[in-house]
Amino acid sequence: MDGDLSSSWDSDDEYEKFIRRMNPPRVVVDNDSCADATVIKVDSANKHGILLEVVQVLMDLNLIITKAYISSDGGWFMDVFNVRDRDGNKIGEEMKLNEINGFIRKSLGEESSYIPSRRRSIDFMPSSDHTSIELTGTDRPGLLSEVCAVLSDLECNVVNAEVWTHNTRAAAVMQVSDKGTGTAIADPEKLSRIKKLLYNVLKGSNKSREAKTAVSVGATHTERRLHQMMFDDRDYERSGEDDGNVCHRPKVTVVNWFDKDYSMVTIRCKDRPKLLFDTVCTLTDMQYVVFHGNVDAEGPEAYQEYYIRHIDGSPVNSEAERQRVIQCLEAAIERRVSEGLKLELCTSDRMGLLSDVTRIFRENGLTVTRAEVTTKGGKVFNIFYVRDAAGNSVDPKTLDDIRAEIGQTVLQVKGHSDHLKSPQESPTRFLLGSLFKSKSLYNLGLIRSYT
């Protein structure tokens, strides 16, 4: 039986490659037709997940999408993106334009590694440089510091990491190397010990929610994997105590289009980088297909409109399903929202650096709501978003003490979030934790409310 399934899967893969070979993607990068943005047009044979694949490439190239027009109703995918660089300018270099074109073609071409299945969407390619560690668990004071301390005690150096928190849940993807070799950890006993000890840290005394650890000598697309991990951990489920935060949530609606087998999803929220990736990633991993879409993020508020069906061809067909789509999209948007004071740490890499820094934060009563760790060329560049234990702005004296201990030039202050919450809004505050707070066709009679 297993052999038959494997043979069928291999046949599907070969068919996908054949379709891509017969219908190679067409990519046009146009710097002339729009005065304030570079226009990227992509035409390709259609397949589930192709929209996410293109958006993911643009995000990985650090491009900001200001407008998008999506159409994939049939066997062909056609998309237009208006993009700018991180400084808000058109793409000025010819070499960069060619790079964008090449990356998209490679991503969608015959030899691309993208496969529609959700489980196979994570590219576990062998790596000799690092070991990937995935962690999910209930948030609590000191969690990040404890995780880093365990890794340091086991002589594992954190090379890259990203940590997200949402709705009392925490998730992290960490790439670590062995102190002795500077490469991936090869000893099976050590890998087993890492997994066991980290599981114990994540589990703590919490018996109501499961903790998960996974260790592999491989690579993942970190941000997509974090979305999948938090989705699997059901961070979108809200308790009745969270009702007071409704006004802070993104505005998400789901209605069925009159006389059409589509459900229309509209999203309005404050714009920020990578917003389109977050929503498209969630729809794709929930097994929905975007047939048409319109995205406008040129102002402070972003507007997204999608016409979707489930992968089985049906629109949203129950109130429970509608609510789940809304909750999951809200969670996807909120996960990346960063509340608190932004701190940037840049220094030479050394063993145990992350453990020392997070310990200093904890000892000075700071909570970390999100973290990014990057190591390149022997240098470490870390970003932390921090608050005090009550969820308020960090006291200047505390900040001075921390910078004096870590180094005034090493730890730089980059500013406060506009949306710090008061203790009254959420009495429980965790390290690595936070409770984040249409162009309507309805009035034209073209769509109907879901019933």
Side-chain angles (χ1 to χ4, degrees), residues 23-30 38-44 50 54 57-58 61 76-77 79-81 96-109:
N23 299 279
R26 294 195 293 269
V27 182
V28 176
V29 182
D30 175 10
T38 299
V39 180
I40 299 175
K41 302 175 183 178
V42 182
D43 295 339
S44 175
I50 189 171
V54 176
V57 170
L58 297 178
L61 290 169
W76 201 252
F77 167 84
D79 220 354
V80 179
F81 300 94
K96 184 70 172 179
L97 297 174
N98 293 333
E99 181 185 24
I100 294 169
N101 193 314
F103 270 115
I104 297 175
R105 287 179 182 273
K106 183 178 180 180
S107 157
L108 303 180

Side-chain angles (χ1 to χ4, degrees), residues 1-116:
M1 183 67 176
D2 289 343
D4 292 339
L5 287 173
S6 175
S7 175
S8 173
W9 201 300
D10 291 342
S11 297
D12 290 343
D13 290 350
E14 290 303 315
Y15 180 72
E16 287 285 342
K17 289 182 179 180
F18 174 75
I19 292 298
R20 291 197 293 270
R21 186 165 59 249
M22 297 302 294
N23 299 279
R26 294 195 293 269
V27 182
V28 176
V29 182
D30 175 10
N31 227 7
D32 300 323
S33 61
C34 182
D36 58 358
T38 299
V39 180
I40 299 175
K41 302 175 183 178
V42 182
D43 295 339
S44 175
N46 196 16
K47 60 181 178 182
H48 178 53
I50 189 171
L51 174 61
L52 174 59
E53 186 73 0
V54 176
V55 171
Q56 184 172 295
V57 170
L58 297 178
M59 183 194 72
D60 290 344
L61 290 169
N62 289 319
L63 299 177
I64 296 174
I65 300 170
T66 58
K67 283 182 178 291
Y69 307 93
I70 302 158
S71 180
S72 61
D73 203 352
W76 201 252
F77 167 84
M78 293 174 285
D79 220 354
V80 179
F81 300 94
N82 286 16
V83 302
R84 298 173 185 161
D85 64 19
R86 284 291 181 179
D87 297 320
N89 302 317
K90 296 173 65 169
I91 313 303
E93 300 177 13
E94 189 68 27
M95 183 181 297
K96 184 70 172 179
L97 297 174
N98 293 333
E99 181 185 24
I100 294 169
N101 193 314
F103 270 115
I104 297 175
R105 287 179 182 273
K106 183 178 180 180
S107 157
L108 303 180
E110 176 189 348
E111 299 303 322
S112 72
S113 61
Y114 184 83
I115 300 172

Side-chain angles (χ1 to χ4, degrees), residues 338-342 369 385-387 394 415-420:
S338 302
E339 296 185 339
L341 183 69
K342 182 180 180 182
T369 61
Y385 293 87
V386 299
R387 303 172 301 199
V394 178
H416 287 268
S417 167
D418 294 331
H419 300 287
L420 289 172

Side-chain angles (χ1 to χ4, degrees), residues 99-245:
E99 181 185 24
I100 294 169
N101 193 314
F103 270 115
I104 297 175
R105 287 179 182 273
K106 183 178 180 180
S107 157
L108 303 180
E110 176 189 348
E111 299 303 322
S112 72
S113 61
Y114 184 83
I115 300 172
S117 166
R118 181 177 184 277
R119 288 188 176 274
R120 301 185 67 193
S121 63
I122 308 159
D123 188 15
F124 284 101
M125 298 296 291
S127 171
S128 60
D129 298 327
H130 60 259
T131 298
S132 292
I133 299 176
E134 298 177 356
L135 310 170
T136 55
T138 302
D139 204 7
R140 70 172 189 274
L143 181 59
L144 178 58
S145 179
E146 290 178 41
V147 167
C148 294
V150 167
L151 292 173
S152 181
D153 288 344
L154 292 170
E155 298 190 328
C156 299
N157 190 42
V158 180
V159 181
N160 299 294
E162 189 145 355
V163 181
W164 288 2
T165 63
H166 178 248
N167 199 17
T168 76
R169 306 302 293 168
V173 174
M174 295 180 161
Q175 296 172 353
V176 303
S177 61
D178 186 271
K179 177 185 177 183
T181 64
T183 59
I185 300 165
D187 183 357
E189 290 186 9
K190 184 170 184 176
L191 290 173
S192 178
R193 190 171 177 224
I194 290 170
K195 187 174 179 180
K196 180 180 179 180
L197 291 177
L198 289 177
Y199 175 83
N200 291 337
V201 168
L202 289 164
K203 184 65 176 175
S205 60
N206 189 300
K207 298 180 180 179
S208 61
R209 293 291 293 269
E210 185 62 43
K212 295 180 182 178
T213 61
V215 177
S216 68
V217 182
T220 70
H221 188 277
T222 300
E223 289 161 288
R224 181 161 191 208
R225 187 64 188 130
L226 283 166
H227 274 302
Q228 292 177 337
M229 290 161 63
M230 297 202 88
F231 175 84
D232 289 342
D233 198 39
R234 305 190 310 278
D235 74 315
Y236 53 85
E237 294 180 347
R238 301 184 185 274
S239 66
E241 298 175 357
D242 194 36
D243 291 343
N245 292 323

